[in-house]
Amino acid sequence: MLKTKGKIAIASLTLALSVAATGAAADDVAPELVSSRILTAIDTTPPDYPRYADAMGMDGFAVLEFTVLESGEVAAPAIRSSSSSVFSKAALAAVEDWTFEPVYQNGIAVPV
């Protein structure tokens, strides 16, 4: 568990995700694995520490899962686990504004 006064540490899971190039039928394309380790962050401003948690002296965490779209924007953020809903809400609010450099596979931007 990490405690950083004024900020929440968000743990991200490194997963190999299956993606396929668009424009071809699913039967025609064998999915390739793209590792989330190749993501390059542009803006990952940490969430603000919830006032309630700070006032109560609470430590906490949130682990999220999300997709980085072809544009580099975050889509479908979801909580995988957290110590409290106050940390979940703060983490989700922050992650929705994160941006990454697009990931290209064979010259085509792909979601990760």
Side-chain angles (χ1 to χ4, degrees):
M1 198 173 333
L2 300 173
K3 180 178 179 183
T4 305
K5 184 76 168 170
K7 298 185 182 191
I8 300 171
I10 299 176
S12 63
L13 303 174
T14 302
L15 305 171
L17 304 175
S18 175
V19 298
T22 59
D27 295 335
D28 298 337
V29 178
E32 296 183 38
L33 294 179
V34 177
S35 173
S36 61
R37 290 180 188 217
I38 63 174
L39 287 173
T40 302
I42 295 172
D43 179 15
T44 56
T45 304
D48 293 327
Y49 208 86
R51 289 185 202 172
Y52 173 78
D54 192 31
M56 299 300 290
M58 291 173 57
D59 290 339
F61 70 92
V63 178
L64 292 95
E65 178 178 270
F66 54 86
T67 300
V68 175
L69 299 175
E70 295 90 335
S71 64
E73 297 174 324
V74 170
I79 300 296
R80 298 289 287 172
S81 66
S82 73
S83 59
S84 169
S85 65
V86 296
F87 294 105
S88 297
K89 290 175 186 176
L92 282 171
V95 168
E96 289 176 349
D97 293 330
W98 285 8
T99 55
F100 296 83
E101 288 184 10
V103 173
Y104 292 91
Q105 187 175 43
N106 299 322
I108 299 171
V110 294
V112 178

